[in-house]
Amino acid sequence: MSERVFEGAASVRQLPQRGMITLRGDLSSAALQAAATDISTGAFPERGHCDSMGARGIAWMSPDEALVMCPHDVVGTSVASLKSALAGTHHLVQDVSDARVIFAIEGDAARDVVAKLCPVDMRPAQFGPGRFRRTRLAQIPCAFWMRGDGGIELVVFSSVADYAWSVLSNAARADAAVGHFAP
């Protein structure tokens, strides 16, 4: 699919497909953390956070679940690497890349766009860089995190990507600007 871009009070882009791996197990395990960070090349995040840089990262999903992200072309070898490193331990490793779509919301109104659609306190003091949240976007499940540059990356199921695109684009319209979080 070609990249979709909407420009308004904020910019909304559907990002190219990314490798995404569900990793379930004991998140406090040094072996699990080492296996995941070998793929993400970043730090293992604490609860409610995401450590990401470009196509690589790890998002804390729940007390026993992390989302490991990598370039799409290495997801197969990354899954194999995780399974090998965690052999003999209680874990689940599953490639969920095709089931997910990522959008980037950028610009001064990025917080406003998300605040219109998600029941999350988007004030900078409450939701800063590296913060992660699983919630709802309008009527669908989503997860999102704040990047260091102030942009937001948001993940939804691919089956509802068109709906997510529609509500995000509508919330980002220039004539719908709120300016609540403007610098």
Side-chain angles (χ1 to χ4, degrees):
M1 168 183 281
S2 61
E3 183 176 305
R4 293 193 268 193
V5 179
F6 177 85
E7 296 292 341
S11 133
V12 178
R13 291 183 300 124
Q14 182 172 334
L15 299 177
Q17 191 172 28
R18 186 178 298 174
M20 289 182 260
I21 304 164
T22 293
L23 174 60
R24 293 194 85 129
D26 178 1
L27 298 188
S28 67
S29 159
L32 183 142
Q33 290 183 11
T37 57
D38 280 350
I39 292 164
S40 75
T41 68
F44 197 87
E46 61 186 73
R47 178 184 182 116
H49 287 80
C50 176
D51 183 81
S52 71
M53 181 61 68
R56 293 189 181 271
I58 304 173
W60 182 93
M61 298 292 279
S62 74
D64 71 342
E65 180 182 359
L67 180 66
V68 180
M69 295 171 279
C70 61
H72 192 263
D73 62 343
V74 300
V75 73
T77 57
S78 297
V79 165
S81 174
L82 284 168
K83 287 181 177 181
S84 175
L86 298 173
T89 67
H90 179 73
H91 72 279
L92 176 133
V93 174
Q94 185 65 48
D95 176 5
V96 295
S97 307
D98 292 339
R100 309 282 193 276
V101 171
I102 300 180
F103 295 99
I105 303 103
E106 299 165 322
D108 290 343
R111 288 179 185 276
D112 287 305
V113 170
V114 173
K116 289 179 188 181
L117 301 168
C118 299
V120 175
D121 186 347
M122 293 301 296
R123 290 177 296 163
Q126 299 302 313
F127 202 87
R131 289 301 309 254
F132 175 85
R133 183 70 186 264
R134 282 177 90 166
T135 186
R136 301 194 75 68
L137 173 80
Q139 298 299 314
I140 59 174
C142 76
F144 63 89
W145 59 93
M146 178 72 65
R147 297 186 320 226
D149 64 2
I152 298 167
E153 291 193 11
L154 184 139
V155 179
V156 298
F157 291 113
S158 56
S159 61
V160 293
D162 287 340
Y163 175 76
W165 172 257
S166 181
V167 297
L168 286 166
S169 298
N170 188 52
R173 291 186 349 251
D175 65 340
V178 176
H180 184 72
F181 301 107

